[in-house]
């Protein structure tokens, strides 16, 4: 039998090596030793560390370990370049981005081979996925640069952006961050991962070749301390980070109170849900891509297989058979499926997690075959016989390990899928499109793929919920992450609250008795757990009433009531709008009473404030069924529906001024978008909100949608920030308390908005639009394939 016939009979794959000569020549041309790229120039290498090929263990190059002084030099260069770069027209900036895209395409083979040598991923993935997507992002954002003034007319760039990227997609993560930042008019300092800096340095050469102005892009390499110097630098206006949740929380804590913009794309433990009517063979091929793409070193990897019980045995049997044909080996071989892990430390971490999982009862299946004698390689693994509490189910493994569980009903599938602290992505396989589209909105994840997986495009936002971070990369949402309102620069410090001393006297000497206002929790008035009340004084210091002094337990009860009312999010937007209109109508009916109460507390005529509150309720009632998503058209046979979803339970701490409008202007956008609210009104003048209880009760507001806890604003804000049942938090107060709120909220990485001691005039009409609507929502992109 001839050789060709033998091949057709056995279907064996022979080696198909990709040549490393061009990449080695580039490394040799630099003496295999690199400094930083700062202000358009290469610095002299300082203290260095080795960048190794994980497939062979051989050193590829020596990389400089950036110091605080290096970071400072890069920040100064970026600051100096910002004025002229941001002053360029969008067309001029777009031309540079277009030139970068073309250059990446021209040198695509060099980039692909260098990426594989430095990272260990199969060359097919670098060549066919990563590098084309890099060029796509620069092309896409070249277009955004020119359309910016039309689409974001009142926005300006942040200024200098610090960007820190991981090692799993070194060049692609660079493109995700640098392209929108430059399109918006920012300048950047980017730190690549210490394991994989080489393609970022090659990209710096591309910036030189296309004539990008000096200081616009600065590449500072280094280990963890270099990243810490970037996040802590006072001269950086925005931080963008992709990496582990633990480091993301640390960055959130460091930047708290700084006023820096922050976007975090963190870890994941994504569910891969297969229903009994799915095309099993297609679902298995999709699963191979979902978990063993890039050796499972993917934040959105479909690492939790949830398969319907009726097909579980057949599915697992077929999956094991398919795993036997996966090829592990030299990542430069074009016939290889699974390449090398990034480093020995990652291999040891995964093995340790596997041992813990097995000790907890897990069973592990690995296909036959030998691993290469040297290098950082692991076999693909399938883990069964696990409970949701098993370490391998709960923890992000970041390796080629799939854990499998079964479910019986769609409701159980949703519960299992959402039983995680993460919320980055999910996959649904079903031939019943009605079922798939019913399940997708119920999954708490920023991206949902239907009958497909790992679809990415520059036109479609990517990012997570919960401890997978906040902010989006790609699409309109990704552009807005590098812009801020132009008027923010003109904000002045909020005036200090006047301290009023109580006049000594007998409260019974008044003309009438004023009952102590209770709290409002779960649709009912409730006495504070503390048993204490707070005096409410008029401007002269006279006692005019008392309000309950809420504490941690009251906040707990209010959050429980708000979570029980989360069905508000699925109430039709028209119905939510109607209820907001009812609130406005009933408030207006009692306008004289509310105006008098405001005057009693503040000394100011309250008629205007009541009128503005009614108008604001009307404004957001009108927005309830109009602030919606979009349908993206990526360059493949699919559409991506960008769905606007509420955060969930929102804690809102109102400013001390404007006792009625200060609360209404914040809760109205939150309610319009389907959030439930725990409100802490002005601690100085809370009686206006206590009067609102009856308005709420007569306006068809479901129980638990609005909960009001009076008391010390700062103390209650801290409790809300620390509470893992609170999904978002807004706080209006001084700079010190704002910093405390941001830092305390790291427990579950809830998105926050704080006034940072600045005066936000909530009567201004700019706050009756998307400024707060965007902060009360998050975007979920659902990918839907079409065609036979």
């Amino acid at each position: 039998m001839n050789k060709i016939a033998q091949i057709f009979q056995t279907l064996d794959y022979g080696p198909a090596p990709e040549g490393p000569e061009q990449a080695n020549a580039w490394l040799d041309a630099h003496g295999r030793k690199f400094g930083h790229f700062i202000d358009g120039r290469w610095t002299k290498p300082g203290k260095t560390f080795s960048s190794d090929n994980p497939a062979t263990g051989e050193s590829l190059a020596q990389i400089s370990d950036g110091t605080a002084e290096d970071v400072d030099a890069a920040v100064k260069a970026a600051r100096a370049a910002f004025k002229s770069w941001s002053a360029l027209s969008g067309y001029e900036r777009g031309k540079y981005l277009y030139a970068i895209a073309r250059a990446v395409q021209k040198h695509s083979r060099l980039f692909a081979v260098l990426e594989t040598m430095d990272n260990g991923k199969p060359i097919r993935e670098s060549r066919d996925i990563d590098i084309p997507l890099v060029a796509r992002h620069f092309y896409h954002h070249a277009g955004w640069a020119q359309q910016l003034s039309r689409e974001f007319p009142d926005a300006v760039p942040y200024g200098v952006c610090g960007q820190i990227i991981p090692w799993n997609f070194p060049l692609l993560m660079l493109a995700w961050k640098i392209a929108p930042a430059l399109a918006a008019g920012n300048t950047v300092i980017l730190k690549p991962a210490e394991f994989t800096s080489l393609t970022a340095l090659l990209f710096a050469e591309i910036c030189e070749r296309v004539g990008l102005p000096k200081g616009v892009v600065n590449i500072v390499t280094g280990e963890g301390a270099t990243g810490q110097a970037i996040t802590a630098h006072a001269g950086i206006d925005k931080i963008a980070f992709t990496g582990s949740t633990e480091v993301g929380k640390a960055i959130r804590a460091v930047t708290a109170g700084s006023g820096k913009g922050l976007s975090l794309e963190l870890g994941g433990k994504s569910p891969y849900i297969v229903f009994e009517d799915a095309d099993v063979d297609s679902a298995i091929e999709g699963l191979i891509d979902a978990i063993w793409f890039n050796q499972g070193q993917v934040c959105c990897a479909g690492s939790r297989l949830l398969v319907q019980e009726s097909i579980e045995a057949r599915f697992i049997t077929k999956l094991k058979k398919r795993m036997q044909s996966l090829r592990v080996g030299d990542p430069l071989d074009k016939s290889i499926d699974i390449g090398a892990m990034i480093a020995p430390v990652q291999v040891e971490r995964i093995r340790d997690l596997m041992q813990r999982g097995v000790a907890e009862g897990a069973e592990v299946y690995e296909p036959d075959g030998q691993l290469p004698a040297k290098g950082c390689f692991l076999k693909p693994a399938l883990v069964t016989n696990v409970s949701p509490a098993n370490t391998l189910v709960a923890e992000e493994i970041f390796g080629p390990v799939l854990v499998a569980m079964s479910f019986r009903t769609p409701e159980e599938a949703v519960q299992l899928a959402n039983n995680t602290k993460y919320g980055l992505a999910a996959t649904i396989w079903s031939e019943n499109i009605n079922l798939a589209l019913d399940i997708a909105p119920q999954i708490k994840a920023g991206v949902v793929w239907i009958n497909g997986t790992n679809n990415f495009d520059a036109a479609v936002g990517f990012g997570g919920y919960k401890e997978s971070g906040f902010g989006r990369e790609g699409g309109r949402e990704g552009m807005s992450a590098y812009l801020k309102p132009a008027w923010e620069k003109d904000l002045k410090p909020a005036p200090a609250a006047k301290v009023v001393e109580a006049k000594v006297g007998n409260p019974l000497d008044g003309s009438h008795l004023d009952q102590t206002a209770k709290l409002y929790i779960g649709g009912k008035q409730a006495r504070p757990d503390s048993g204490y009340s707070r005096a409410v004084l008029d401007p002269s210091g006279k006692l005019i009433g008392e309000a309950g002094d809420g504490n941690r337990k009251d906040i707990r009860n209010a959050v429980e009531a708000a979570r029980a009312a989360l069905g508000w999010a699925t109430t039709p937007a028209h119905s939510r709008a109607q209820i907001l209109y009812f609130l406005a109508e009933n408030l207006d009916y009692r306008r004289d009473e509310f105006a008098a109460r405001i005057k009693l507390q503040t000394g100011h005529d309250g008629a205007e404030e009541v009128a503005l509150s009614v108008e604001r309720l009307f404004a957001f009632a009108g927005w309830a069924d109009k602030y919606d998503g979009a349908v993206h058209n990526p360059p493949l046979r699919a559409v991506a529906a960008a769905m606007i979803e509420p955060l969930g339970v929102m804690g809102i701490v109102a400013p001390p001024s404007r006792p009625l409008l200060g609360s209404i202007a914040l809760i109205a956008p939150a309610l319009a978008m389907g959030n439930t609210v725990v409100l802490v009104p002005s601690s100085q003048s809370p009686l206006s909100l206590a009067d609102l209880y009856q308005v709420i009760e007569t306006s068809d507001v479901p129980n638990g949608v609005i909960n009001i806890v009076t008391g010390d604003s700062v103390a209650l804000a801290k409790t809300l920030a620390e509470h893992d049942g609170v999904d978002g938090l807004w706080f209006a107060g001084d700079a010190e308390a704002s910093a405390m709120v941001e830092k305390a909220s790291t427990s579950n990485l809830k998105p926050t908005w704080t006034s940072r001691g600045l005066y936000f005039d909530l009567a201004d009409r700019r706050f009756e639009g998307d400024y707060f609507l965007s902060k009360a929502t998050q975007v979920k992109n659902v990918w839907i394939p079409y065609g036979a």
Side-chain angles (χ1 to χ4, degrees):
M1 184 180 294
N2 64 44
K3 187 174 182 181
I4 294 176
Q6 287 177 332
I7 291 173
F8 275 106
Q9 185 173 17
T10 64
L11 293 181
D12 285 339
Y13 283 81
E18 174 66 76
E21 294 81 12
Q22 189 179 3
N24 281 324
W26 180 79
L27 292 168
D28 291 338
H30 287 269
R32 295 186 180 258
K33 196 170 188 179
F34 293 87
H36 312 295
F37 183 71
I38 298 175
D39 200 21
R41 294 184 293 270
W42 293 93
T43 67
K44 183 178 179 181
K47 179 185 176 183
T48 62
F49 56 88
S50 179
S51 184
D52 298 336
N53 183 335
T56 65
E58 297 171 353
S59 177
L60 295 171
Q62 292 295 312
I63 308 297
S64 289
D65 192 6
T67 64
E69 290 75 20
D70 295 323
V71 171
D72 191 56
V75 172
K76 288 177 180 176
R79 180 66 61 194
F82 172 67
K83 184 176 181 180
S84 57
W85 177 251
S86 60
L88 288 178
S89 69
Y91 167 64
E92 291 295 332
R93 289 199 302 273
K95 286 199 299 183
Y96 283 109
L97 291 168
Y98 175 82
I100 291 172
R102 290 289 292 122
V104 168
Q105 286 182 319
K106 291 177 183 177
H107 301 281
S108 60
R109 183 169 177 271
L110 172 59
F111 271 114
V113 174
L114 189 63
E115 192 85 316
T116 287
M117 290 170 64
D118 204 21
N119 170 272
K121 64 174 62 184
I123 185 63
R124 291 187 297 111
E125 296 176 8
S126 300
R127 179 195 65 199
D128 299 339
I129 299 172
D130 290 20
I131 307 307
L133 268 176
V134 169
R136 163 72 176 149
H137 271 266
F138 281 102
Y139 277 129
H140 179 77
H141 289 93
W144 266 123
Q146 193 164 357
Q147 306 304 327
L148 213 62
S149 60
R150 296 180 182 87
E151 295 297 313
F152 300 92
D154 299 318
V156 294
Y158 272 94
V160 176
C161 297
Q163 302 176 325
I164 303 170
I165 59 174
W167 42 258
N168 56 340
F169 292 93
L171 192 65
L172 184 55
M173 294 296 100
L174 175 151
W176 280 21
K177 287 179 167 52
I178 288 183
L182 298 192
N186 299 282
T187 55
V188 305
I189 299 99
L190 180 132
K191 189 197 91 68
E194 56 267 35
F195 289 130
T196 54
S197 301
L198 294 179
T199 48
L201 296 170
L202 176 56
F203 177 82
E205 275 196 8
I206 294 295
C207 293
E208 279 187 299
R209 293 184 188 186
V210 303
L212 190 70
K214 295 179 179 179
V216 172
V217 169
N218 304 273
I219 307 293
V220 180
T221 57
E223 298 183 312
T226 310
Q228 292 172 8
I230 290 174
T231 57
H233 200 291
I236 290 179
D237 304 300
K238 175 188 167 64
I239 297 292
F241 172 78
T242 297
S244 71
T245 294
E246 291 72 24
V247 175
K249 288 183 175 182
I251 291 173
R252 175 66 174 275
V254 167
T255 58
S258 66
K260 294 178 181 179
L262 180 63
S263 52
L264 300 172
E265 196 265 282
L266 307 175
K269 194 71 179 177
S270 300
Y272 191 98
I273 308 169
V274 183
F275 288 97
E276 62 187 358
D277 65 345
D279 180 337
V280 170
D281 291 330
S282 294
I284 286 176
E285 286 307 308
L287 183 57
I288 297 299
D289 183 45
I291 181 58
W292 291 302
F293 173 59
N294 198 18
Q295 296 74 254
Q297 298 172 132
V298 183
C299 53
C300 58
S303 54
R304 285 188 298 143
L305 169 63
L306 306 177
V307 59
Q308 199 153 15
E309 190 176 84
S310 57
I311 63 167
E312 179 188 15
R314 180 163 63 98
F315 191 94
I316 295 298
T317 299
K318 281 198 165 193
L319 176 59
K320 288 180 177 179
K321 184 177 180 181
R322 179 65 177 87
M323 289 173 67
Q324 288 283 356
S325 65
L326 292 175
R327 301 172 300 280
V328 182
D330 178 7
L332 279 177
D333 187 334
K334 293 187 283 287
S335 68
I336 287 300
D337 298 299
I338 299 177
M341 305 299 294
I342 188 64
V345 64
Q346 184 70 2
V347 173
E348 291 306 312
R349 176 183 177 276
I350 293 168
R351 285 175 174 162
D352 178 64
L353 285 170
M354 294 286 282
Q355 290 174 1
R356 288 166 56 187
V358 169
E360 295 167 11
E363 297 176 2
V364 178
Y365 168 79
E366 292 180 344
D368 298 332
Q370 296 297 316
L371 293 175
K374 61 179 180 178
C376 303
F377 292 93
L378 286 173
K379 288 184 178 182
L382 170 63
V383 180
T384 55
N385 195 41
V386 291
S387 71
N390 189 285
T391 295
L392 298 178
V393 178
E395 297 298 323
E396 183 181 33
I397 301 172
F398 222 63
V401 181
L402 174 68
V403 294
M405 294 183 290
S406 65
F407 64 89
R408 292 182 177 179
T409 65
E411 292 76 17
E412 185 182 0
V414 171
Q415 290 176 346
L416 286 170
N418 290 335
N419 184 32
T420 174
K421 62 185 177 181
Y422 299 109
L424 190 54
T427 300
I428 300 169
W429 281 86
S430 172
E431 290 297 286
N432 184 343
I433 193 65
N434 291 323
L435 174 63
L437 291 177
D438 177 54
I439 297 299
Q442 299 181 57
I443 304 297
K444 301 301 181 184
V447 181
V448 178
W449 295 296
I450 294 176
N451 293 339
T453 196
N454 280 342
N455 294 320
F456 307 101
D457 186 61
V460 183
F462 181 87
Y465 290 7
K466 300 189 288 187
E467 292 191 29
S468 290
F470 47 79
R472 295 292 182 266
E473 294 183 295
R476 185 182 184 88
E477 311 96 86
M479 273 307 309
S480 65
Y482 284 93
L483 296 163
K484 62 181 180 178
W487 48 262
E488 281 193 355
K489 67 179 186 302
D490 298 322
L491 291 174
K492 302 292 190 294
K498 294 182 179 179
V499 178
V500 179
E501 294 184 7
K503 289 185 177 180
V504 178
N506 186 347
L508 300 182
D509 291 340
S511 58
H512 64 279
L513 295 178
D514 196 339
Q515 293 182 336
T516 300
K518 299 182 179 69
L519 314 181
Y520 189 73
I521 297 174
K524 299 177 182 179
Q525 296 190 46
R527 290 184 175 85
D529 172 72
S530 67
Y532 293 103
S533 59
R534 297 170 62 87
V536 182
L537 310 175
D538 71 8
S540 70
K542 180 182 177 181
L543 180 70
I544 57 173
E546 293 180 299
D549 195 12
N551 64 12
R552 178 179 292 271
K553 185 176 180 181
D554 297 313
I555 291 292
R556 184 198 68 187
N557 294 339
V559 172
E560 287 180 356
R563 296 211 72 82
L566 283 174
W568 174 248
T570 59
T571 300
H574 167 74
S575 299
R576 295 200 302 268
Q578 192 68 59
I579 289 172
L580 287 173
Y581 281 128
F582 290 161
L583 280 169
E585 178 184 327
N586 291 327
L587 176 59
D588 187 57
Y589 180 74
R590 298 171 59 182
R591 58 185 177 275
D592 293 339
E593 174 191 340
F594 275 85
R597 179 72 96 173
I598 291 170
K599 186 171 184 179
L600 191 62
Q601 294 173 101
T602 67
H604 300 124
D605 182 7
E608 180 187 20
E609 185 171 339
V610 176
L612 286 169
S613 299
V614 171
E615 184 178 349
R616 198 55 57 87
L617 285 166
F618 258 75
F620 286 110
W623 273 117
D625 59 357
K626 298 175 185 65
Y627 190 76
D628 48 23
V631 176
H632 303 304
N633 292 289
L636 65 156
R637 292 170 63 83
V639 295
M643 301 171 60
I644 303 294
E645 296 189 336
L647 296 180
V649 174
M650 290 189 62
I652 296 179
V653 182
S657 60
R658 297 188 183 272
L660 182 63
L661 179 65
S663 291
I664 293 295
L666 296 178
I667 68 170
L671 295 174
M673 294 296 98
N675 298 282
T676 58
V677 168
V678 177
L679 171 70
V680 178
S682 165
S683 56
Q684 294 178 334
S685 310
L687 298 181
S688 293
L689 269 293
D691 293 341
L692 198 67
Y693 299 168
Q694 290 180 333
V695 174
I696 295 171
E697 290 169 347
T698 57
S699 300
D700 294 341
V701 179
N703 294 342
V705 170
I706 301 176
N707 305 275
I708 301 173
V709 179
T710 56
D712 182 276
S713 295
V714 175
L716 296 177
K718 186 173 189 295
T719 301
L720 286 166
E722 294 172 340
H723 200 302
D724 285 348
V726 176
D727 302 302
L729 179 58
W730 295 349
F731 174 81
D734 63 38
E736 182 180 358
S738 294
M740 176 276 294
V741 164
E742 293 177 8
K743 190 168 186 177
S745 67
T746 59
S747 60
N748 70 342
L749 285 173
K750 59 178 70 68
T752 62
W753 171 85
T754 63
S755 63
R756 309 190 313 278
L758 301 173
Y759 180 58
F760 286 76
D761 182 4
L762 295 178
D764 195 308
R765 290 184 182 278
R766 67 165 59 108
F767 296 117
E768 64 180 32
D770 63 357
Y771 181 78
F772 281 120
L773 291 172
S774 65
K775 292 172 172 54
T777 55
Q778 51 199 348
V779 179
K780 170 186 288 178
N781 279 282
V782 179
W783 288 71
I784 308 164
Y786 60 81

